[in-house]
Amino acid sequence: MILQHLRVVEVGGGISASYAGKLLADAGADVIKIEPPGGEPLRRWSASGAELGDKDGPLFQFLNTSKRSVTGDPTDPATADLLVSADILIDSTDQGLPPATIDTARRANPALVLVSISPWGRTGPYAHRPATEFTLQAECGGIGKRGNPERPPVQAGGAIGEWTAAIYAGAGALAAARAAGRSGRGDHVDVSMFETMVMTMNTYAWISGLFAGDTTPERPGRTVELPSIEPTADGHVGFCTVARQQFLDFLVMIDRPDWLEDEEMCGYGGRWKRRDEFRAAMHAWTTQRTTAEVIAEASARRIPVAPIGNGATVPTLEAFSGRDAFTVNPSGGFTQPAVPYRLHGAPTRPFEPVPAAGEHTGQIEAHAAQPNRGEPAALPLEGVRVIDFTAWWAGPIASHSLALLGADVVKVESVQRPDGMRFASARPPSVDQWWDWGMVFHGSNTNKRGITLDLRSPEGVAVAEELIADADVVIENFTPRVMEGFGLTWERLSALNPRLIMTRMPAFGLDGAWRNNTGFAQTMEQLTGMAAITGYPDEDPQIPRGPCDPLAGMHAVFATLAALEERDRTGRGRLVEVTMVAAALNAAAEQLVEYSALGRQPPREGNRSPRAAPQGVYPAAGFERWVAVSVADDHQWEALCRLLDRPDWGDYGTADQRRAAADAIDAGLAEWIAPQTDADAVAQLLDAGIPASVVVLGAEVGSHPQLLQRSFIEPIDHPVCGKVPAASLPFRFESAPDGWVRIPAPTLGQHNREVLGGELGLTDEELAELEARAIIGTRPAGL
């Protein structure tokens, strides 16, 4: 097993720490949970409110296979040896383990990697501000962009922020452990859930706002994709028309070819203004057909399309046919997602039963620390070269994270087909180099060098193979047939470079029924159940809009780091397969396991939640100003009753009672907030210890004091766009206090001469010949 040399101690529990620990356990690490007597609260949790009897909840069982459990107080001297024995200590406790406890462990074990997971991060002006996932969604710009303007803005369902924090924590932990194994010096990986949610739910809107000169956008900023999730004769179907051609094909499909020349309708802004007209035409077509008929017609036209999955239906969907996408929980016997990546040919760890609380107390053996290779302290991936064939967002954010962690990443595009995110530009085609103004391209491509190669030509492939022969990692996210069409197969590349790790990120996998289907994040959100629990119960489901690309990207980072760990020991490369749909399926696992184990489906309920009551967004004074409030426990409820002077709410002492009285409580909260500004209401709620936030629009986070203080946003000078507020990693390393971003996103072909000439040794004459034949270049073909 790949990570069998690592011991992980997990303290605090919850989804974030547990899934980070699960990632490490599934890869072979020895993961030990320290729980309070009786076990952590997640053992008693059911999202649907089911009675569990004496069994652990299905979500807990999913998250904690193959781990061991001890009970006790992690600050007690009796546990000191356990903390000291760890290579990685994951801490998600509310306030963090006491500094004295951490300092003692790190003095005894200088190579210890501490991974803390907290709402805001352990530093910064907001570090001690009360928060829940819901208020963080409001603060990060996620809620403010979602929903129809006729209704209040609406959350993404399913605790997505917890899952995104977990995968960043897992990847950060493994990266820091790699560095510690080289230098003998540990680190503190300070994971901010807020920053992970800005990364995954905001989509770099602050960069777009700056490019457009619009950092204070008009309200409301929320929209719904057109088309997105639409009614059919027997349910719903999900579309995704990211590319213009996909939308033009969609118009032909719904029998509206007359709109093909209507530039207003073909542009999203104009279509949104005419949304009632567009929806009427679209629904006149979709509602006359079954979901299966719509999917067949759209698929034939290569329009990304999907059924709307939920906990009951996900295992039956064709997208998962022909793949081992699901497995059986060894303790509960229910269906759950399989591990979301494959290291082809590597031994896999069979799932072991979930431990009983304290089952291994007093039974933990000594653990030998990682061997120290005595190398100087450096960024975790310093000395690693990555050849990056990715495009759009999921692939580029994976290679971006590798670059931020120190790898030398060479991004390969072509003048015939540059990265499509270049063309989601803040500048019109009348502006020279307008393709260098794409917000997502800037957000996910700093620290990379950029070259162009036409891989449809033998000469382009030959140059690519020269690059790959000396690389450590190749990463790509096309459908499988693309790299095969270039001849750059795993068999070819591993023969060329036996130490190579090839990370492939097809949307649906290298095999299976949907192998050749194109897939975007929207499709994954529709398929896996994320959309089924997002939106108001009396409206069509809505997509969360954003998280699936970074989720897939960071699972790819984790799997690539695991493969590098193995190669460090064996000298052998490995084919790594990470699908976007499997990453999304794991982050939506709660629905599947809840239904499979208990026969119950968590509902779609707007801004309400089984995790907090009351919870909602409430209008404040001024146009389109909203306040998000989320009461997570009885102490916060008591504080709210005192603040609002509502002794009559004393009968609602439990969360179940508050959920039953949600309409009345919402009315009272709305009445109290309405005459106040959003900032004043939030200040009073926070002073009382109640999680609250103004509902922020995405472009506004560029000046957020917490992000600036922690250097999540790092300005960098770009040769075309000037100073760009680049996104870094949503965690801090104690050893990297100066941040992560070193160079801006590359212009097209910017480093052709540096890489192909200076490093591969091509002469000026050879480079000129390649450019004359458009095998390399610095402008998109035809522009």
Side-chain angles (χ1 to χ4, degrees), residues 21 41 111 241 272 359 384 388 429 461 539 545 561 590 597 631 637 641:
T241 54
W272 181 247
E359 179 179 340
V384 171
D388 174 14
V461 170
E539 289 188 341
R545 189 188 281 177
L561 289 168
E590 185 166 31
V631 175
W637 170 246
C641 292

Side-chain angles (χ1 to χ4, degrees), residues 143-233:
I143 287 178
K145 69 179 182 181
R146 188 181 302 104
N148 289 297
E150 298 79 18
R151 300 286 289 274
V154 67
Q155 68 174 330
I160 293 296
E162 295 266 1
W163 296 93
T164 57
I167 180 57
Y168 276 101
L174 196 49
R178 173 184 172 83
R182 293 161 63 186
S183 68
R185 191 181 80 183
D187 219 323
H188 177 193
V189 184
D190 179 8
V191 181
S192 161
M193 188 183 299
F194 173 54
E195 291 168 20
T196 69
M197 292 165 72
V198 172
M199 183 71 86
T200 57
M201 295 187 180
N202 185 294
T203 322
Y204 312 110
W206 70 92
I207 302 177
S208 178
L210 178 71
F211 285 176
D214 185 19
T215 55
T216 55
E218 293 182 8
R219 295 170 179 267
R222 57 190 179 281
T223 57
V224 174
E225 281 78 0
L226 295 173
S228 183
I229 298 176
E230 312 300 342
T232 65

Side-chain angles (χ1 to χ4, degrees), residues 497-500 563-574:
N497 179 355
R499 290 177 53 81
L500 182 72
L564 283 167
E565 282 287 301
E566 180 194 41
R567 196 197 65 175
D568 286 349
R569 297 194 311 275
T570 67
R572 295 193 308 270
R574 185 73 69 184

Side-chain angles (χ1 to χ4, degrees), residues 373-512:
R373 297 199 291 273
E375 299 177 20
L379 289 171
L381 295 181
E382 189 168 306
V384 171
R385 170 167 278 200
V386 178
I387 309 302
D388 174 14
F389 294 99
T390 67
W392 299 97
W393 193 16
I397 202 171
S399 52
H400 180 233
S401 299
L402 298 174
L404 293 172
L405 289 166
D408 172 22
V409 176
V410 177
K411 182 177 179 71
V412 182
E413 303 175 78
S414 70
V415 298
Q416 294 79 14
R417 294 197 67 175
D419 186 334
M421 280 304 188
R422 286 190 180 274
F423 301 133
S425 174
R427 293 291 185 272
S430 58
V431 174
D432 189 39
Q433 289 190 255
W434 62 273
W435 56 85
D436 282 317
W437 290 84
M439 63 177 181
V440 175
F441 187 87
H442 279 275
S444 57
N445 287 286
T446 57
N447 282 21
K448 301 180 186 179
R449 297 186 292 165
I451 66 169
T452 49
L453 285 174
D454 181 5
L455 297 177
R456 300 173 305 174
S457 69
E459 295 87 348
V461 170
V463 173
E465 289 185 343
E466 282 192 68
L467 286 170
I468 292 165
D470 193 38
D472 297 283
V473 176
V474 163
I475 185 167
E476 60 91 10
N477 68 324
F478 302 118
T479 55
R481 65 178 183 273
V482 173
M483 293 297 277
E484 293 164 5
F486 296 148
L488 298 175
T489 63
W490 164 244
E491 291 75 19
R492 167 63 181 160
L493 298 187
S494 61
L496 188 69
N497 179 355
R499 290 177 53 81
L500 182 72
I501 292 161
M502 186 178 191
T503 300
R504 306 193 66 183
M505 299 177 61
F508 298 103
L510 298 176
D511 52 19

Side-chain angles (χ1 to χ4, degrees), residues 511-538:
D511 52 19
W514 279 30
R515 174 183 188 270
N516 291 319
N517 283 36
T518 301
F520 294 90
Q522 295 93 320
T523 312
M524 309 309 152
E525 294 168 5
Q526 294 159 0
L527 272 171
T528 60
M530 289 183 181
I533 56 171
T534 297
Y536 291 101
D538 57 343

